[in-house]
Amino acid sequence: MEEFYKTRRLPPYVFEEVNRLKAKARAGGADIIDLGMGNPDLPTPKHIVDKLVETVQNPRTHRYSASKGIAGLRRAQAAYYGRRFGVKLNPDTQVVATLGSKEGFANMAQAISAPGDVVLVPNPSYPIHAFGFLMAGASLRSIPAEPGPEVFEALERAVIHSVPKPIALILCYPANPTAYVADLDFYKDIVAFAKKHEIFVLSDLAYSEIYFGDTPPPSILQVPGAMDVAVEFTSLSKTFSMPGWRMGFAVGNERLIAALARVKSYLDYGAFTPIQVAATAALNGPDDCIVSAREVYRKRRDVLVETFGRAGFEVPAPAASMFAWAPIPEKFRHLGSVEFSKLLIEHADVAVAPGLGFGEHGDTHVRIALVENEQRIRQAARNLRRFLETADEKLHNVIPIGAKG
């Protein structure tokens, strides 16, 4: 039976093969240390949970909610942007609450793109940045993921050679999966380019509060004039350890926000009201829980880099995000990221995310999530060492993807 148009446009889900092997190993009794999915394991702070429990006792909150977010929540997000970035937002026209930043991206793609439109997407990048537009019928053109001169060279080529001209540029810093970070000077150049060529910028800032240096990641909206071309997506999933609550935001350009709000009004009634009230309490509350979570991730990062390095698997220390982007060790690189990830499950009881799942330019790397405690990370390193010490005999039985035989 022929596939439907939108599903036909989606590439094979490369994580599925690894996930299936992980499930099989666990069913067989293996203790898999899962560093694959970026699923925060820290508990949601108590004052946020308490507000949810308090609010849900009121039956009036069980009714349909507001698709674009209740007024208090939108005001709280605007206030957060004012405190954190010095950016002034109108909560009525420049803020929409979304069901996580992932849903926000997908619905924005539906709102602004038509079949045949060209969108510029980093490669590698978080899948929804590309697939949201693919499902909307748009075409993709890849740009480098690392912020630098190569990005602007690629952008200039894209404007000259793309037919039709690109309508939007996707950015994500701190980046998932690569953990790259961008500074305000980079954003200034991006805004100038976007205004010159009349291209919208969609910025994913989901990891704004997970950073390990002294300089917090900036918002593109801090750049004068950015509001003319840019919308930014944020999420409470990582900032407040609320992944399952599905609460995020889109803020910025009024025309884009209005388009997103209109599409959402046809698709959903917004998050459950008690979740929105609790999210308001999170944004208006103390930030000590953010600081402590950041410290937990920093310690895990340091343990990961140190212990994996001593085991023979060099992992560059990420400056931000909850991920490390690790080159596959040289002797395994010819296998590609999927086969290497399968080897780690089968012979080291460690799960990571194959870089191919984030774009073809990620196939030389794997993404390692900081979602296990320090003891488990040390255990993963011990498992890796044993595997790497006997790696040569394991390689005999592996046929790389695409090889004949």
Side-chain angles (χ1 to χ4, degrees), residues 316-373:
S321 85
M322 57 185 292
F323 304 111
W325 185 238
I328 298 172
E330 186 62 40
K331 69 167 64 176
F332 299 97
R333 202 160 297 171
H334 67 286
L335 299 176
S337 59
V338 175
E339 289 301 323
F340 177 66
S341 298
K342 289 165 62 178
L343 277 178
L344 293 188
I345 293 173
E346 292 174 328
H347 302 292
D349 290 340
V350 174
V352 297
L356 183 63
F358 305 97
E360 68 271 25
H361 296 303
D363 201 23
T364 57
H365 288 65
V366 294
R367 191 193 70 177
I368 306 173
L370 304 173
V371 292
E372 293 271 14
N373 63 40

XYZ file of all heavy atoms in Angstrom, residues 316-373:
439
model
N 35.098 15.418 24.012
C 35.313 16.853 24.230
C 34.320 17.384 25.263
O 33.139 17.020 25.249
C 35.062 17.468 22.853
C 35.229 16.339 21.882
C 34.773 15.116 22.607
N 34.792 18.253 26.142
C 33.939 18.804 27.193
C 32.988 19.845 26.607
O 33.435 20.858 26.059
C 34.790 19.430 28.293
N 31.673 19.630 26.680
C 30.738 20.633 26.166
C 30.722 21.874 27.042
O 30.828 21.783 28.269
C 29.387 19.909 26.212
C 29.543 18.889 27.300
C 30.978 18.452 27.260
N 30.575 23.044 26.422
C 30.508 24.300 27.176
C 29.107 24.565 27.695
O 28.918 25.395 28.596
C 30.974 25.460 26.293
N 28.120 23.871 27.141
C 26.726 24.079 27.529
C 25.901 22.898 27.055
O 26.413 21.999 26.388
C 26.198 25.388 26.939
N 24.634 22.907 27.411
C 23.648 21.866 27.087
C 23.833 20.663 27.999
O 24.749 20.628 28.836
C 23.695 21.432 25.611
O 24.666 20.432 25.384
N 22.977 19.664 27.850
C 23.074 18.449 28.653
C 23.594 17.286 27.818
O 23.314 16.129 28.104
C 21.713 18.096 29.261
C 20.612 17.920 28.241
S 18.993 17.640 28.991
C 19.249 16.030 29.706
N 24.386 17.621 26.782
C 24.911 16.608 25.877
C 26.402 16.798 25.633
O 26.913 17.918 25.677
C 24.203 16.670 24.520
C 22.716 16.545 24.606
C 21.903 17.624 24.315
C 22.119 15.350 24.992
C 20.530 17.530 24.400
C 20.739 15.245 25.079
C 19.941 16.327 24.784
N 27.075 15.681 25.362
C 28.431 15.708 24.815
C 28.354 15.144 23.399
O 27.624 14.176 23.144
C 29.375 14.877 25.674
N 29.096 15.755 22.499
C 29.116 15.345 21.091
C 30.487 14.734 20.847
O 31.486 15.423 20.762
C 28.866 16.569 20.218
C 28.729 16.350 18.749
C 29.492 16.922 17.771
C 27.752 15.564 18.052
N 29.059 16.545 16.525
C 27.986 15.706 16.667
C 26.701 14.740 18.472
C 27.208 15.061 15.708
C 25.927 14.100 17.520
C 26.185 14.261 16.156
N 30.533 13.405 20.789
C 31.798 12.685 20.851
C 32.158 12.037 19.520
O 31.357 11.268 18.965
C 31.733 11.609 21.932
N 33.359 12.312 18.998
C 33.800 11.614 17.774
C 33.942 10.119 18.042
O 34.460 9.707 19.087
C 35.163 12.253 17.476
C 35.236 13.499 18.302
C 34.367 13.259 19.496
N 33.493 9.310 17.114
C 33.658 7.866 17.237
C 35.154 7.551 17.208
O 35.884 8.097 16.382
C 32.939 7.149 16.083
C 31.441 7.442 16.130
C 33.187 5.648 16.122
C 30.678 6.941 14.918
N 35.645 6.698 18.119
C 37.063 6.342 18.091
C 37.496 5.869 16.702
O 36.734 5.213 15.979
C 37.157 5.205 19.119
C 36.049 5.487 20.082
C 34.933 6.060 19.247
N 38.707 6.202 16.336
C 39.193 6.022 14.966
C 38.985 4.606 14.430
O 38.542 4.427 13.296
C 40.687 6.384 14.902
C 41.267 6.369 13.497
C 40.625 7.388 12.575
O 40.361 8.508 13.020
O 40.363 7.037 11.401
N 39.255 3.600 15.228
C 39.180 2.225 14.714
C 37.752 1.783 14.416
O 37.532 0.797 13.726
C 39.849 1.251 15.681
C 39.117 1.058 16.997
C 39.658 -0.157 17.757
C 41.110 0.059 18.159
N 41.607 -1.085 18.975
N 36.757 2.549 14.943
C 35.352 2.204 14.690
C 34.687 3.143 13.689
O 33.545 2.915 13.302
C 34.555 2.269 16.002
C 35.021 1.325 17.065
C 35.885 1.753 18.064
C 34.610 0.004 17.075
C 36.313 0.899 19.056
C 35.032 -0.869 18.057
C 35.891 -0.418 19.051
N 35.389 4.190 13.273
C 34.719 5.247 12.513
C 34.165 4.753 11.178
O 33.143 5.229 10.705
C 35.676 6.423 12.308
C 34.968 7.734 12.015
C 35.848 8.920 12.289
N 36.203 9.000 13.697
C 37.108 9.832 14.198
N 37.767 10.641 13.395
N 37.376 9.847 15.495
N 34.828 3.754 10.592
C 34.357 3.254 9.295
C 33.006 2.557 9.408
O 32.311 2.366 8.403
C 35.387 2.275 8.718
C 35.513 1.007 9.514
N 36.141 0.950 10.744
C 35.081 -0.259 9.246
C 36.096 -0.295 11.202
N 35.466 -1.044 10.313
N 32.602 2.178 10.618
C 31.329 1.495 10.806
C 30.145 2.444 10.714
O 29.035 2.017 10.376
C 31.290 0.816 12.183
C 32.332 -0.263 12.463
C 32.197 -0.747 13.897
C 32.170 -1.420 11.486
N 30.360 3.721 11.025
C 29.261 4.667 11.126
C 28.653 4.652 12.516
O 28.889 3.746 13.332
N 27.849 5.654 12.805
C 27.369 5.852 14.178
C 26.324 4.826 14.610
O 26.249 4.488 15.797
C 26.796 7.266 14.319
O 25.725 7.477 13.422
N 25.531 4.305 13.685
C 24.501 3.339 14.075
C 25.143 2.023 14.502
O 24.830 1.475 15.571
C 23.494 3.111 12.927
C 22.501 2.007 13.302
C 22.744 4.404 12.609
N 26.050 1.493 13.686
C 26.703 0.228 14.038
C 27.556 0.376 15.299
O 27.602 -0.546 16.124
C 27.558 -0.267 12.873
C 26.761 -0.761 11.684
C 25.824 -1.905 12.049
O 26.206 -2.747 12.889
O 24.719 -1.953 11.496
N 28.218 1.512 15.451
C 29.017 1.723 16.663
C 28.101 1.762 17.884
O 28.414 1.157 18.924
C 29.814 3.015 16.553
C 30.610 3.339 17.785
C 31.680 2.531 18.181
C 30.298 4.450 18.560
C 32.414 2.823 19.325
C 31.032 4.745 19.706
C 32.089 3.932 20.092
N 26.959 2.426 17.782
C 26.026 2.488 18.909
C 25.497 1.098 19.252
O 25.331 0.765 20.431
C 24.855 3.416 18.567
O 25.314 4.741 18.337
N 25.262 0.275 18.228
C 24.800 -1.089 18.481
C 25.878 -1.913 19.192
O 25.574 -2.705 20.095
C 24.405 -1.748 17.159
C 23.123 -1.182 16.565
C 22.929 -1.562 15.113
C 22.803 -3.039 14.890
N 22.556 -3.353 13.449
N 27.130 -1.708 18.799
C 28.222 -2.411 19.481
C 28.269 -2.062 20.964
O 28.506 -2.924 21.814
C 29.560 -2.055 18.828
C 29.981 -2.812 17.572
C 31.312 -2.279 17.074
C 30.059 -4.317 17.827
N 28.058 -0.778 21.284
C 28.124 -0.355 22.689
C 27.018 -1.012 23.514
O 27.230 -1.370 24.674
C 28.030 1.166 22.788
C 29.196 1.973 22.214
C 29.041 3.451 22.565
C 30.539 1.458 22.728
N 25.841 -1.176 22.923
C 24.761 -1.854 23.650
C 25.085 -3.326 23.842
O 24.949 -3.883 24.937
C 23.429 -1.693 22.895
C 22.971 -0.234 22.909
C 22.347 -2.588 23.518
C 21.755 0.026 22.053
N 25.552 -3.970 22.772
C 25.777 -5.420 22.813
C 26.953 -5.813 23.694
O 26.918 -6.865 24.346
C 26.010 -5.940 21.391
C 24.777 -5.868 20.502
C 25.082 -6.265 19.066
O 26.220 -6.008 18.612
O 24.191 -6.819 18.399
N 27.997 -4.980 23.727
C 29.234 -5.400 24.381
C 29.664 -4.522 25.557
O 30.611 -4.877 26.260
C 30.366 -5.436 23.348
C 30.101 -6.352 22.199
N 30.048 -7.722 22.328
C 29.848 -6.097 20.886
C 29.788 -8.276 21.157
N 29.656 -7.305 20.258
N 28.968 -3.392 25.783
C 29.335 -2.541 26.919
C 28.123 -2.175 27.768
O 28.285 -1.511 28.797
C 30.019 -1.259 26.421
N 26.939 -2.615 27.378
C 25.707 -2.275 28.107
C 25.540 -0.769 28.270
O 25.059 -0.280 29.297
C 25.684 -2.958 29.491
C 25.511 -4.460 29.401
O 25.047 -4.943 28.353
O 25.858 -5.160 30.376
N 25.936 -0.027 27.245
C 25.826 1.435 27.247
C 25.074 1.861 25.986
O 25.399 1.415 24.885
C 27.212 2.109 27.282
C 27.085 3.624 27.126
C 27.945 1.765 28.575
N 24.072 2.713 26.173
C 23.314 3.231 25.035
C 23.645 4.702 24.817
O 23.674 5.492 25.763
C 21.812 3.075 25.277
N 23.923 5.061 23.569
C 24.133 6.448 23.162
C 23.267 6.694 21.925
O 22.685 5.770 21.372
C 25.622 6.740 22.853
C 26.489 6.553 24.081
C 26.121 5.858 21.699
N 23.183 7.947 21.496
C 22.389 8.273 20.307
C 23.304 8.376 19.097
O 24.261 9.154 19.106
C 21.648 9.594 20.518
N 23.044 7.597 18.034
C 23.884 7.684 16.843
C 23.751 9.051 16.174
O 22.649 9.565 15.986
C 23.340 6.570 15.937
C 21.961 6.297 16.433
C 21.963 6.599 17.894
N 24.893 9.620 15.796
C 24.886 10.950 15.208
C 24.130 11.048 13.907
O 23.645 12.125 13.540
N 23.988 9.935 13.188
C 23.262 9.936 11.918
C 21.816 10.384 12.103
O 21.207 10.932 11.196
C 23.317 8.547 11.286
C 22.673 8.388 9.904
C 23.387 9.261 8.864
C 22.694 6.924 9.471
N 21.271 10.165 13.291
C 19.899 10.547 13.561
C 19.674 12.048 13.554
O 18.526 12.508 13.526
N 20.758 12.814 13.560
C 20.663 14.275 13.571
C 21.077 14.881 12.229
O 21.208 16.098 12.112
C 21.531 14.835 14.695
C 21.201 14.247 16.042
C 21.945 13.191 16.562
C 20.135 14.732 16.777
C 21.633 12.632 17.791
C 19.806 14.178 18.008
C 20.552 13.128 18.515
N 21.277 14.029 11.234
C 21.689 14.494 9.919
C 22.903 13.725 9.445
O 23.694 13.209 10.244
N 23.066 13.649 8.115
C 24.164 12.830 7.572
C 25.537 13.326 7.995
O 26.490 12.540 8.084
C 24.076 12.749 6.050
C 24.335 14.035 5.299
C 23.082 14.854 5.080
O 22.115 14.724 5.862
O 23.067 15.646 4.117
N 25.657 14.618 8.309
C 26.958 15.138 8.726
C 27.287 14.803 10.182
O 28.353 15.161 10.673
C 27.015 16.654 8.503
C 26.925 17.048 7.060
N 27.805 16.591 6.111
C 26.040 17.831 6.386
C 27.487 17.084 4.929
N 26.410 17.830 5.066
N 26.370 14.109 10.849
C 26.635 13.680 12.220
C 27.104 12.253 12.340
O 27.324 11.763 13.453
N 27.296 11.560 11.221
C 27.532 10.119 11.274
C 28.897 9.735 11.830
O 29.148 8.566 12.103
C 27.354 9.512 9.874
C 27.074 8.020 9.912
O 26.586 7.534 10.957
O 27.346 7.333 8.911
N 29.795 10.692 12.009
C 31.109 10.400 12.598
C 31.100 10.558 14.117
O 32.137 10.382 14.762
C 32.174 11.338 12.015
O 31.779 12.695 12.246
C 32.347 11.104 10.524
N 29.938 10.897 14.689
C 29.846 11.178 16.120
C 28.688 10.406 16.758
O 27.814 9.893 16.068
C 29.603 12.672 16.369
C 30.778 13.549 16.093
N 31.311 13.701 14.826
C 31.513 14.343 16.925
C 32.339 14.547 14.887
N 32.476 14.948 16.141
N 28.694 10.370 18.075
C 27.521 9.949 18.847
C 27.227 11.033 19.878
O 28.120 11.769 20.299
C 27.739 8.593 19.560
C 27.887 7.472 18.551
C 28.939 8.641 20.511
N 25.955 11.120 20.238
C 25.555 12.070 21.274
C 25.395 11.333 22.588
O 24.735 10.287 22.656
C 24.235 12.748 20.908
C 23.887 13.938 21.796
C 22.442 14.382 21.609
N 21.497 13.406 22.157
C 20.183 13.576 22.184
N 19.644 14.660 21.658
N 19.396 12.648 22.706
N 26.006 11.874 23.640
C 25.956 11.269 24.970
C 25.215 12.229 25.898
O 25.640 13.374 26.083
C 27.366 10.985 25.510
C 28.154 10.136 24.509
C 27.294 10.292 26.860
C 29.625 9.949 24.880
N 24.106 11.776 26.477
C 23.283 12.629 27.332
C 23.682 12.471 28.792
O 23.971 11.363 29.258
C 21.808 12.285 27.145
N 23.663 13.581 29.510
C 24.043 13.594 30.926
C 22.822 13.303 31.787
O 22.433 14.101 32.654
C 24.653 14.953 31.284
C 25.851 15.392 30.444
C 26.261 16.822 30.789
C 27.030 14.440 30.638
N 22.217 12.135 31.580
C 20.945 11.824 32.234
C 21.055 10.653 33.214
O 20.037 10.108 33.643
C 19.859 11.531 31.177
C 19.519 12.786 30.397
C 20.286 10.413 30.238
N 22.280 10.268 33.543
C 22.510 9.263 34.586
C 23.403 9.882 35.650
O 24.183 10.807 35.366
C 23.179 8.013 34.007
C 22.307 7.216 33.045
C 21.460 6.163 33.766
O 21.363 6.234 35.009
O 20.914 5.288 33.071
N 23.307 9.379 36.876
C 24.106 9.969 37.955
C 25.588 9.618 37.793
O 25.973 8.805 36.941
C 23.569 9.547 39.332
C 23.648 8.045 39.568
O 24.626 7.395 39.205
N 22.628 7.487 40.191
